[in-house]
Coordinates of all heavy atoms in Angstrom, one line a residue:
M1 N 6.1 -104.7 21.1 CA 5.9 -104.6 22.5 C 4.5 -104.6 22.8 O 4.1 -105.2 23.8 CB 6.6 -103.3 23.1 CG 6.4 -103.2 24.6 SD 7.4 -101.9 25.3 CE 6.2 -100.6 25.4
K2 N 3.6 -104.0 22.0 CA 2.2 -104.0 22.2 C 1.7 -105.4 22.2 O 0.8 -105.8 23.0 CB 1.5 -103.2 21.2 CG 1.7 -101.7 21.3 CD 1.0 -100.9 20.3 CE 1.4 -99.4 20.4 NZ 0.7 -98.7 19.3
K3 N 2.3 -106.3 21.4 CA 1.8 -107.7 21.3 C 2.1 -108.4 22.6 O 1.3 -109.2 23.1 CB 2.6 -108.3 20.1 CG 2.0 -109.6 19.7 CD 2.8 -110.1 18.4 CE 2.2 -111.3 17.8 NZ 3.0 -111.7 16.6
A4 N 3.3 -108.1 23.2 CA 3.6 -108.8 24.5 C 2.7 -108.3 25.6 O 2.3 -109.1 26.4 CB 5.1 -108.5 24.8
I5 N 2.4 -107.0 25.6 CA 1.5 -106.5 26.6 C 0.1 -107.1 26.5 O -0.5 -107.5 27.5 CB 1.4 -105.0 26.6 CG1 2.8 -104.4 26.9 CG2 0.4 -104.4 27.5 CD1 2.9 -102.9 26.7
I6 N -0.4 -107.2 25.3 CA -1.7 -107.7 25.1 C -1.8 -109.2 25.5 O -2.7 -109.7 26.1 CB -2.2 -107.5 23.6 CG1 -2.4 -106.0 23.3 CG2 -3.4 -108.3 23.3 CD1 -2.6 -105.7 21.9
T7 N -0.7 -109.9 25.1 CA -0.7 -111.4 25.5 C -0.6 -111.5 27.0 O -1.3 -112.4 27.5 CB 0.6 -112.0 24.8 OG1 0.5 -111.8 23.4 CG2 0.6 -113.5 25.1
M8 N 0.1 -110.7 27.7 CA 0.2 -110.8 29.1 C -1.1 -110.5 29.7 O -1.6 -111.2 30.6 CB 1.2 -109.8 29.6 CG 1.4 -109.8 31.2 SD 2.2 -108.4 31.8 CE 1.2 -107.1 31.4
I9 N -1.9 -109.5 29.2 CA -3.2 -109.2 29.8 C -4.2 -110.3 29.6 O -4.9 -110.6 30.5 CB -3.7 -107.8 29.2 CG1 -2.8 -106.7 29.7 CG2 -5.1 -107.6 29.5 CD1 -3.1 -105.4 29.0
V10 N -4.1 -110.9 28.4 CA -5.1 -112.0 28.1 C -4.8 -113.2 29.0 O -5.7 -113.7 29.6 CB -5.0 -112.4 26.6 CG1 -5.7 -113.7 26.3 CG2 -5.6 -111.3 25.7
V11 N -3.6 -113.6 29.1 CA -3.2 -114.7 30.0 C -3.5 -114.4 31.4 O -4.1 -115.3 32.1 CB -1.8 -115.1 29.8 CG1 -1.3 -116.2 30.8 CG2 -1.5 -115.6 28.3
F12 N -3.2 -113.2 31.9 CA -3.5 -112.8 33.2 C -5.1 -112.9 33.5 O -5.5 -113.3 34.5 CB -3.0 -111.5 33.5 CG -3.2 -111.0 35.0 CD1 -2.4 -111.6 36.0 CD2 -4.1 -110.1 35.3 CE1 -2.5 -111.2 37.3 CE2 -4.2 -109.7 36.6 CZ -3.5 -110.3 37.6
A13 N -5.8 -112.4 32.5 CA -7.3 -112.5 32.6 C -7.8 -113.9 32.7 O -8.8 -114.2 33.3 CB -7.9 -111.7 31.5
L14 N -7.2 -114.8 32.0 CA -7.6 -116.2 32.0 C -7.3 -116.8 33.4 O -8.0 -117.7 33.8 CB -6.9 -117.0 30.9 CG -7.4 -116.7 29.5 CD1 -6.5 -117.5 28.5 CD2 -8.8 -117.1 29.3
V15 N -6.3 -116.4 34.0 CA -5.8 -117.0 35.3 C -6.6 -116.4 36.5 O -6.9 -117.1 37.4 CB -4.3 -116.9 35.5 CG1 -3.9 -117.4 36.8 CG2 -3.6 -117.6 34.4
V16 N -6.7 -115.1 36.5 CA -7.3 -114.4 37.6 C -8.7 -113.8 37.3 O -9.1 -113.8 36.2 CB -6.3 -113.2 38.0 CG1 -6.8 -112.4 39.2 CG2 -4.9 -113.7 38.2
W17 N -9.4 -113.4 38.3 CA -10.7 -112.9 38.2 C -10.8 -111.9 37.1 O -9.8 -111.1 37.0 CB -11.1 -112.3 39.6 CG -12.5 -111.7 39.6 CD1 -13.6 -112.4 39.9 CD2 -12.8 -110.4 39.4 NE1 -14.6 -111.6 39.9 CE2 -14.2 -110.3 39.5 CE3 -12.2 -109.2 39.0 CZ2 -14.9 -109.2 39.3 CZ3 -12.9 -108.1 38.7 CH2 -14.2 -108.0 38.9
P18 N -11.8 -111.7 36.4 CA -13.1 -112.4 36.5 C -13.2 -113.6 35.6 O -14.3 -114.3 35.6 CB -14.1 -111.3 35.9 CG -13.3 -110.6 34.9 CD -11.9 -110.6 35.4
F19 N -12.2 -114.0 34.9 CA -12.3 -115.2 34.1 C -11.6 -116.4 34.7 O -11.1 -117.3 34.0 CB -11.6 -114.9 32.7 CG -12.2 -113.7 32.0 CD1 -11.4 -112.6 31.8 CD2 -13.4 -113.8 31.5 CE1 -12.0 -111.5 31.2 CE2 -14.0 -112.7 30.8 CZ -13.2 -111.6 30.7
S20 N -11.6 -116.5 36.0 CA -11.0 -117.6 36.7 C -11.7 -119.0 36.4 O -11.1 -120.0 36.5 CB -10.9 -117.4 38.2 OG -12.2 -117.3 38.7
G21 N -12.9 -118.9 36.0 CA -13.6 -120.1 35.6 C -13.0 -120.8 34.4 O -13.0 -122.0 34.3
V22 N -12.4 -120.1 33.5 CA -11.7 -120.6 32.4 C -10.5 -121.4 32.9 O -10.1 -122.5 32.4 CB -11.3 -119.5 31.4 CG1 -10.4 -120.1 30.3 CG2 -12.5 -118.8 30.8
W23 N -9.8 -120.8 33.9 CA -8.6 -121.5 34.5 C -9.1 -122.9 35.1 O -8.3 -123.8 35.0 CB -8.0 -120.6 35.5 CG -6.8 -121.2 36.1 CD1 -6.6 -121.8 37.3 CD2 -5.5 -121.3 35.4 NE1 -5.3 -122.3 37.4 CE2 -4.6 -121.9 36.3 CE3 -5.0 -120.8 34.2 CZ2 -3.3 -122.2 36.0 CZ3 -3.7 -121.0 33.9 CH2 -2.8 -121.7 34.8
Q24 N -10.2 -122.9 35.7 CA -10.7 -124.2 36.3 C -10.9 -125.2 35.2 O -10.7 -126.4 35.4 CB -12.0 -123.9 37.1 CG -11.8 -123.1 38.3 CD -10.8 -123.6 39.3 OE1 -10.8 -124.8 39.5 NE2 -10.0 -122.8 39.9
L25 N -11.4 -124.8 34.0 CA -11.5 -125.7 32.9 C -10.2 -126.2 32.4 O -10.0 -127.4 32.1 CB -12.3 -125.0 31.7 CG -13.7 -124.7 32.0 CD1 -14.3 -123.9 30.8 CD2 -14.6 -125.9 32.2
L26 N -9.2 -125.3 32.4 CA -7.9 -125.7 32.0 C -7.1 -126.6 33.0 O -6.1 -127.2 32.7 CB -7.0 -124.5 31.6 CG -7.5 -123.7 30.4 CD1 -6.7 -122.4 30.3 CD2 -7.5 -124.5 29.1
S27 N -7.6 -126.5 34.2 CA -6.9 -127.3 35.3 C -6.9 -128.8 35.0 O -6.0 -129.5 35.5 CB -7.4 -127.0 36.6 OG -8.8 -127.5 36.8
G28 N -7.9 -129.3 34.3 CA -7.9 -130.7 33.9 C -6.7 -131.0 33.0 O -6.2 -132.1 33.1
I29 N -6.4 -130.1 32.1 CA -5.3 -130.3 31.2 C -3.9 -130.2 31.9 O -3.0 -131.0 31.8 CB -5.3 -129.3 30.0 CG1 -6.6 -129.6 29.2 CG2 -4.1 -129.5 29.1 CD1 -6.9 -128.5 28.2
I30 N -3.9 -129.1 32.7 CA -2.6 -128.8 33.4 C -2.4 -129.8 34.5 O -1.2 -130.1 34.8 CB -2.7 -127.3 34.0 CG1 -2.8 -126.4 32.8 CG2 -1.5 -127.0 34.8 CD1 -3.1 -125.0 33.2
G31 N -3.4 -130.2 35.2 CA -3.2 -131.2 36.3 C -3.5 -130.5 37.6 O -3.7 -129.3 37.7
G32 N -3.6 -131.3 38.6 CA -3.8 -130.8 39.9 C -5.3 -130.9 40.3 O -6.1 -131.2 39.4
G33 N -5.6 -130.8 41.5 CA -7.0 -130.8 42.0 C -7.2 -129.8 43.0 O -6.6 -128.7 43.0
V34 N -8.1 -130.1 43.9 CA -8.4 -129.1 45.0 C -7.2 -128.8 45.8 O -7.0 -127.7 46.2 CB -9.6 -129.7 45.8 CG1 -9.9 -128.7 47.0 CG2 -10.8 -129.9 45.0
Q35 N -6.4 -129.8 46.1 CA -5.2 -129.6 46.9 C -4.2 -128.6 46.3 O -3.4 -128.0 47.0 CB -4.6 -130.9 47.3 CG -4.0 -131.7 46.2 CD -5.1 -132.7 45.6 OE1 -6.3 -132.4 45.7 NE2 -4.6 -133.7 44.9
E36 N -4.2 -128.5 45.0 CA -3.3 -127.6 44.3 C -3.9 -126.3 43.9 O -3.3 -125.4 43.4 CB -2.7 -128.2 43.1 CG -1.6 -129.3 43.3 CD -2.2 -130.7 43.5 OE1 -3.4 -130.8 43.1 OE2 -1.6 -131.5 44.1
S37 N -5.2 -126.1 44.2 CA -5.9 -124.9 43.7 C -5.4 -123.6 44.3 O -5.6 -122.6 43.8 CB -7.4 -125.1 43.9 OG -7.7 -125.1 45.3
F38 N -4.8 -123.7 45.5 CA -4.3 -122.5 46.2 C -3.0 -122.0 45.4 O -2.7 -120.8 45.7 CB -3.9 -122.8 47.6 CG -2.8 -123.8 47.8 CD1 -1.5 -123.3 47.9 CD2 -3.0 -125.1 47.9 CE1 -0.4 -124.1 48.1 CE2 -1.9 -126.0 48.0 CZ -0.6 -125.5 48.1
I39 N -2.4 -122.8 44.5 CA -1.3 -122.3 43.8 C -1.7 -121.5 42.6 O -0.9 -120.7 42.1 CB -0.4 -123.5 43.4 CG1 0.1 -124.3 44.6 CG2 0.7 -123.1 42.5 CD1 0.8 -125.5 44.3
Y40 N -2.9 -121.6 42.1 CA -3.3 -120.9 40.9 C -3.1 -119.4 41.0 O -2.7 -118.8 40.0 CB -4.7 -121.3 40.5 CG -4.9 -122.7 40.1 CD1 -6.1 -123.4 40.3 CD2 -3.8 -123.5 39.6 CE1 -6.2 -124.7 39.9 CE2 -4.0 -124.8 39.2 CZ -5.2 -125.4 39.4 OH -5.3 -126.7 39.1
P41 N -3.5 -118.7 42.1 CA -3.2 -117.3 42.2 C -1.7 -116.9 42.1 O -1.3 -115.9 41.6 CB -3.8 -116.8 43.5 CG -4.8 -117.9 43.8 CD -4.3 -119.1 43.2
I42 N -0.9 -117.8 42.6 CA 0.6 -117.6 42.5 C 1.0 -117.6 41.0 O 1.8 -116.8 40.6 CB 1.3 -118.6 43.3 CG1 1.0 -118.5 44.8 CG2 2.8 -118.5 43.1 CD1 1.5 -119.6 45.7
Y43 N 0.4 -118.6 40.2 CA 0.7 -118.6 38.8 C 0.3 -117.3 38.2 O 1.1 -116.7 37.3 CB -0.1 -119.7 38.1 CG 0.4 -121.1 38.5 CD1 -0.5 -122.2 38.3 CD2 1.7 -121.4 38.9 CE1 -0.1 -123.5 38.6 CE2 2.1 -122.6 39.3 CZ 1.2 -123.7 39.1 OH 1.6 -125.0 39.4
G44 N -0.8 -116.7 38.5 CA -1.2 -115.4 38.0 C -0.2 -114.3 38.3 O 0.1 -113.5 37.5
G45 N 0.3 -114.3 39.6 CA 1.2 -113.3 40.0 C 2.5 -113.5 39.2 O 3.2 -112.5 38.8
I46 N 3.0 -114.7 39.0 CA 4.2 -114.9 38.2 C 4.0 -114.4 36.8 O 4.9 -113.8 36.2 CB 4.6 -116.4 38.2 CG1 5.0 -116.8 39.6 CG2 5.6 -116.7 37.2 CD1 5.2 -118.3 39.8
I47 N 2.9 -114.7 36.2 CA 2.6 -114.2 34.8 C 2.6 -112.7 34.8 O 3.2 -112.1 33.9 CB 1.2 -114.7 34.3 CG1 1.3 -116.2 34.1 CG2 0.8 -114.0 33.0 CD1 0.0 -116.9 33.9
L48 N 2.0 -112.0 35.8 CA 2.0 -110.6 35.8 C 3.4 -110.0 36.0 O 3.7 -109.1 35.3 CB 1.1 -110.1 37.0 CG 0.9 -108.6 37.1 CD1 0.2 -108.0 35.9 CD2 0.1 -108.3 38.4
L49 N 4.1 -110.6 36.9 CA 5.5 -110.1 37.1 C 6.4 -110.3 35.9 O 7.2 -109.4 35.6 CB 6.1 -110.8 38.4 CG 5.5 -110.3 39.7 CD1 6.1 -111.2 40.8 CD2 5.8 -108.8 39.9
S50 N 6.3 -111.4 35.2 CA 7.1 -111.6 34.0 C 6.7 -110.7 32.9 O 7.6 -110.2 32.2 CB 7.0 -113.1 33.6 OG 5.7 -113.4 33.2
G51 N 5.4 -110.4 32.8 CA 5.0 -109.4 31.8 C 5.5 -108.0 32.1 O 5.9 -107.3 31.3
L52 N 5.5 -107.7 33.4 CA 6.0 -106.4 33.9 C 7.5 -106.3 33.6 O 8.0 -105.2 33.2 CB 5.7 -106.2 35.3 CG 6.0 -104.9 36.0 CD1 5.2 -103.8 35.3 CD2 5.7 -104.9 37.4
L53 N 8.2 -107.4 33.8 CA 9.6 -107.4 33.5 C 9.9 -107.2 32.0 O 10.8 -106.4 31.7 CB 10.2 -108.8 33.9 CG 11.7 -109.0 33.8 CD1 12.5 -108.1 34.7 CD2 12.1 -110.4 34.0
V54 N 9.1 -107.8 31.2 CA 9.3 -107.6 29.7 C 9.0 -106.1 29.3 O 9.8 -105.5 28.6 CB 8.4 -108.5 28.9 CG1 8.3 -108.2 27.5 CG2 8.8 -110.0 29.1
V55 N 8.0 -105.6 29.8 CA 7.6 -104.2 29.5 C 8.7 -103.2 30.0 O 9.1 -102.3 29.2 CB 6.2 -103.8 30.1 CG1 6.0 -102.3 30.0 CG2 5.1 -104.6 29.4
C56 N 9.2 -103.4 31.2 CA 10.2 -102.5 31.7 C 11.5 -102.6 31.0 O 12.2 -101.6 30.7 CB 10.5 -102.8 33.2 SG 9.1 -102.3 34.3
T57 N 11.9 -103.9 30.6 CA 13.1 -104.1 29.8 C 13.0 -103.4 28.5 O 13.9 -102.8 28.0 CB 13.3 -105.6 29.6 OG1 13.4 -106.2 30.9 CG2 14.6 -105.8 28.9
E58 N 11.8 -103.5 27.8 CA 11.6 -102.9 26.5 C 11.7 -101.3 26.7 O 12.3 -100.7 25.8 CB 10.3 -103.3 26.0 CG 10.0 -102.8 24.6 CD 10.9 -103.3 23.5 OE1 11.4 -104.5 23.7 OE2 11.2 -102.6 22.6
L59 N 11.2 -100.8 27.7 CA 11.2 -99.3 27.9 C 12.7 -98.9 28.1 O 13.1 -97.9 27.6 CB 10.4 -98.9 29.1 CG 8.9 -99.0 28.9 CD1 8.2 -98.7 30.2 CD2 8.4 -98.0 27.8
I60 N 13.4 -99.7 28.9 CA 14.8 -99.3 29.1 C 15.6 -99.4 27.8 O 16.5 -98.5 27.5 CB 15.5 -100.2 30.2 CG1 14.8 -99.9 31.6 CG2 17.0 -100.1 30.3 CD1 15.2 -100.9 32.6
L61 N 15.4 -100.4 27.0 CA 16.1 -100.5 25.7 C 15.8 -99.4 24.8 O 16.7 -98.9 24.1 CB 15.7 -101.9 25.1 CG 16.4 -103.1 25.7 CD1 15.8 -104.4 25.0 CD2 17.9 -103.1 25.6
E62 N 14.5 -99.0 24.8 CA 14.1 -97.8 23.9 C 14.8 -96.5 24.4 O 15.3 -95.7 23.6 CB 12.6 -97.6 24.0 CG 11.9 -98.6 23.2 CD 10.4 -98.4 23.3 OE1 9.9 -97.4 23.8 OE2 9.6 -99.3 22.8
E63 N 14.9 -96.4 25.7 CA 15.6 -95.2 26.3 C 17.1 -95.2 25.9 O 17.7 -94.2 25.6 CB 15.4 -95.1 27.8 CG 16.0 -93.9 28.4 CD 15.2 -92.6 28.0 OE1 14.0 -92.7 27.6 OE2 15.9 -91.5 28.0
I64 N 17.7 -96.4 26.0 CA 19.1 -96.5 25.7 C 19.4 -96.2 24.2 O 20.3 -95.4 23.8 CB 19.7 -97.9 26.0 CG1 19.7 -98.1 27.5 CG2 21.0 -98.1 25.4 CD1 20.1 -99.5 28.0
K65 N 18.5 -96.7 23.3 CA 18.6 -96.4 21.9 C 18.4 -94.9 21.6 O 19.1 -94.4 20.8 CB 17.6 -97.2 21.1 CG 17.9 -98.7 21.0 CD 16.8 -99.4 20.2 CE 17.1 -100.9 20.2 NZ 16.0 -101.6 19.6
S66 N 17.5 -94.3 22.3 CA 17.3 -92.8 22.0 C 18.5 -92.0 22.5 O 18.9 -91.1 21.9 CB 16.0 -92.4 22.7 OG 16.1 -92.3 24.1
L67 N 19.1 -92.4 23.6 CA 20.2 -91.7 24.1 C 21.4 -91.9 23.2 O 22.2 -91.0 22.9 CB 20.6 -92.1 25.5 CG 19.7 -91.7 26.6 CD1 20.0 -92.4 28.0 CD2 19.7 -90.2 26.8
K68 N 21.5 -93.1 22.7 CA 22.6 -93.4 21.7 C 22.5 -92.6 20.4 O 23.4 -92.1 19.9 CB 22.6 -94.9 21.4 CG 23.8 -95.4 20.6 CD 23.7 -96.9 20.5 CE 24.9 -97.4 19.7 NZ 24.9 -98.9 19.6
D69 N 21.2 -92.6 19.9 CA 21.0 -91.8 18.7 C 21.2 -90.3 19.0 O 21.7 -89.6 18.1 CB 19.5 -92.0 18.2 CG 19.3 -93.4 17.7 OD1 20.3 -94.1 17.3 OD2 18.1 -93.8 17.6
K70 N 20.9 -89.8 20.1 CA 21.1 -88.4 20.5 C 22.6 -88.1 20.6 O 23.0 -87.0 20.1 CB 20.4 -88.1 21.8 CG 20.3 -86.7 22.2 CD 19.5 -86.5 23.5 CE 19.3 -85.1 23.8 NZ 18.6 -84.9 25.1
K71 N 23.3 -89.0 21.1 CA 24.8 -88.8 21.2 C 25.5 -88.8 19.8 O 26.4 -88.0 19.6 CB 25.4 -89.9 22.1 CG 26.8 -89.7 22.4 CD 27.4 -90.8 23.3 CE 28.8 -90.6 23.6 NZ 29.4 -91.7 24.4
E72 N 25.0 -89.7 19.0 CA 25.6 -89.8 17.6 C 25.2 -88.6 16.8 O 26.0 -88.2 15.9 CB 25.1 -91.1 16.9 CG 25.7 -92.3 17.4 CD 25.2 -93.6 16.8 OE1 24.3 -93.4 15.9 OE2 25.6 -94.7 17.2
G73 N 24.1 -87.9 17.1 CA 23.6 -86.8 16.3 C 24.4 -85.5 16.7 O 24.4 -84.5 16.0
C74 N 25.0 -85.5 17.9 CA 25.7 -84.3 18.3 C 27.0 -84.1 17.7 O 27.8 -84.6 17.2 CB 25.9 -84.3 19.9 SG 24.4 -84.1 20.8

């Protein structure tokens, strides 16, 4: 889970401030120009939300496993 969180933070940092200059360099590979540049913050938000979804899912799974182990131990 730590690996997923670190990856999400790194990608989010590449897309959003303060490393948004890196995203501008990658925009040549990804495509788009000035007319599509308003979409880039939306991409950052999608990355952040998907990472949050992964983290919350992992926390819920850990809680379910701990409750299951607790029930089997009784």
Side-chain angles (χ1 to χ4, degrees):
M1 182 169 97
K2 290 180 184 179
K3 195 175 188 182
I5 293 172
I6 292 171
T7 304
M8 179 194 65
I9 291 170
V10 168
V11 172
F12 185 73
L14 287 174
V15 175
V16 182
W17 182 87
F19 301 113
S20 61
V22 176
W23 184 258
Q24 294 300 324
L25 293 174
L26 294 175
S27 66
I29 298 169
I30 296 170
V34 176
Q35 61 273 24
E36 285 89 16
S37 64
F38 68 92
I39 297 176
Y40 295 153
I42 296 172
Y43 291 157
I46 291 170
I47 292 169
L48 183 64
L49 288 174
S50 62
L52 187 61
L53 182 69
V54 168
V55 170
C56 290
T57 304
E58 185 66 29
L59 289 173
I60 291 170
L61 287 175
E62 287 178 8
E63 186 66 27
I64 290 171
K65 286 179 185 177
S66 69
L67 289 173
K68 189 176 180 180
D69 290 340
K70 190 176 184 182
K71 185 178 179 181
E72 289 176 0
C74 289

